[in-house]
């Protein structure tokens, strides 16, 4: 049970489940909530012989019934999106500039701050409208927005080419690689941070000490020790101590 792209055919069982999972994620469901909802749908389909479309209707509408309120994007996510976009742009620009300077000085042009500002605003807009862009039938909306932003950054460099400072090529190369590595690490962390969890996955048994704590009704402490020992999620720990 994994996160899947939203652009699949909901007429098929796998397609419906993928759309449903994606809609839950867009509404702010975490991995445990998404896994539990998918497991319930799959269990009903297996028992009834119906398709998900027949049993639950449109995946987006059913996701809205499961999570009536769509969680607002938190400030950290917006800031993260802006920082990743700017870091990627500066990192790529630094590495390319260093590579084409042949070891000389790399000029910092007047248009650079304008380009960074435009890119930051674009990342903010995309972050705020991401759900609508993903759900849009016009699949070109997101690539076009990014292409326009990049075009404006290039135009800023053309219209404001005056150098205001210079940096050694090796400094640009090192800084650029560091920025690219940071952006890639952040994106990797986002992908791995909250995977979909199947609640039917077998759990590790409680240790003797954890079982004693449960018997003493010290459930919270037992859950804490279980999570530290096994790396389980909070939902899995709750299941384990029942």
């Amino acid at each position: 049970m994994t996160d899947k792209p939203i652009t699949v055919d909901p007429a098929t069982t796998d397609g419906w489940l993928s759309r449903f999972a994606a809609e839950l994620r867009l509404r702010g469901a975490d991995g445990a909530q998404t896994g539990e909802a998918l497991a319930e749908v799959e269990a009903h389909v297996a028992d009834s012989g119906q398709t998900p479309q027949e049993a639950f209707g449109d995946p987006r509408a059913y996701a809205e019934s499961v999570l009536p309120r769509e969680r607002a994007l938190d400030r950290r996510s917006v800031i993260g999106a802006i920082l990743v976009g700017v870091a990627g742009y500066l990192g790529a620009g630094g590495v390319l500039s260093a590579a084409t300077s042949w070891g000389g000085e790399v000029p910092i042009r007047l248009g650079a701050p304008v380009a960074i500002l435009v890119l930051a605003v674009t990342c903010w807009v995309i972050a705020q409208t991401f759900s609508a862009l993903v759900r849009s039938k016009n699949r070109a909306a997101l690539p076009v927005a990014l292409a326009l932003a990049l075009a404006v950054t290039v135009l800023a460099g053309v219209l404001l080419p005056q150098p205001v400072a210079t940096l050694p090529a090796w400094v640009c190369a090192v800084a650029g690689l560091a920025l690219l590595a940071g952006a890639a690490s952040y994106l990797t962390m986002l992908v791995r941070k909250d995977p979909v969890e199947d609640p039917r996955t077998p759990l590790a048994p409680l240790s003797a000490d954890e079982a004693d704590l449960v018997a003493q009704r010290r459930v919270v402490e037992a859950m804490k020790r279980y999570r530290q020992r096994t790396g389980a999620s909070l939902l899995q720990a709750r299941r384990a101590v029942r």
Side-chain angles (χ1 to χ4, degrees):
M1 187 179 292
T2 57
D3 292 313
K4 297 180 181 179
I6 196 169
T7 52
V8 289
D9 182 8
T12 65
T13 296
D14 287 344
W16 193 98
L17 291 172
S18 296
R19 287 292 300 270
F20 178 54
E23 288 292 345
L24 288 174
R25 289 298 211 175
L26 290 174
R27 300 188 69 77
D30 59 23
Q33 291 173 312
T34 304
E36 188 170 356
L38 287 171
E40 290 176 357
V41 171
E42 290 173 350
H44 179 84
V45 168
D47 292 339
S48 68
Q50 295 177 295
T51 66
Q53 187 74 28
E54 292 169 342
F56 301 99
D58 179 69
R60 180 177 178 181
Y62 186 60
E64 290 175 356
S65 70
V66 174
L67 287 177
R69 291 188 177 182
E70 187 166 346
R71 187 176 65 188
L73 196 63
D74 62 89
R75 183 177 299 178
R76 286 190 305 174
S77 298
V78 175
I79 293 174
I82 294 172
L83 291 179
V84 166
V86 172
Y89 172 77
L90 291 177
V95 171
L96 290 173
S97 297
T100 56
S101 69
W102 304 102
E105 296 288 310
V106 176
I108 308 300
R109 304 190 183 280
L110 186 61
V114 176
I116 293 171
L117 178 61
V118 169
L119 190 62
V121 171
T122 302
C123 291
W124 179 83
V125 171
I126 290 175
Q128 295 292 340
T129 60
F130 183 75
S131 295
L133 288 172
V134 172
R135 292 183 178 121
S136 173
K137 294 181 179 180
N138 183 6
R139 298 181 185 179
L142 184 56
V144 167
L146 290 173
L148 286 174
L150 290 176
V152 172
T153 62
V154 172
L155 185 62
V158 172
L159 296 178
L160 300 169
Q162 301 89 340
V164 294
T166 59
L167 289 174
W170 69 267
V171 172
C172 289
V174 172
L177 290 173
L179 288 169
L180 289 174
S185 297
Y186 181 79
L187 291 174
T188 302
M189 179 193 70
L190 288 181
V191 171
R192 295 180 177 177
K193 183 173 65 173
D194 188 26
V196 174
E197 299 174 3
D198 189 340
R200 299 163 295 184
T201 302
L203 300 174
L206 296 175
S207 67
D209 290 342
E210 292 157 358
D212 288 341
L213 289 172
V214 173
Q216 298 168 25
R217 297 188 178 181
R218 297 163 62 186
V219 176
V220 173
E221 187 175 350
M223 289 171 58
K224 182 178 179 180
R225 291 193 182 184
Y226 181 83
R227 294 185 68 190
Q228 290 174 341
R229 180 173 63 86
T230 64
S233 68
L234 181 60
L235 180 65
Q236 291 172 326
R238 284 175 180 167
R239 290 175 52 219
V241 300
R242 286 176 182 171

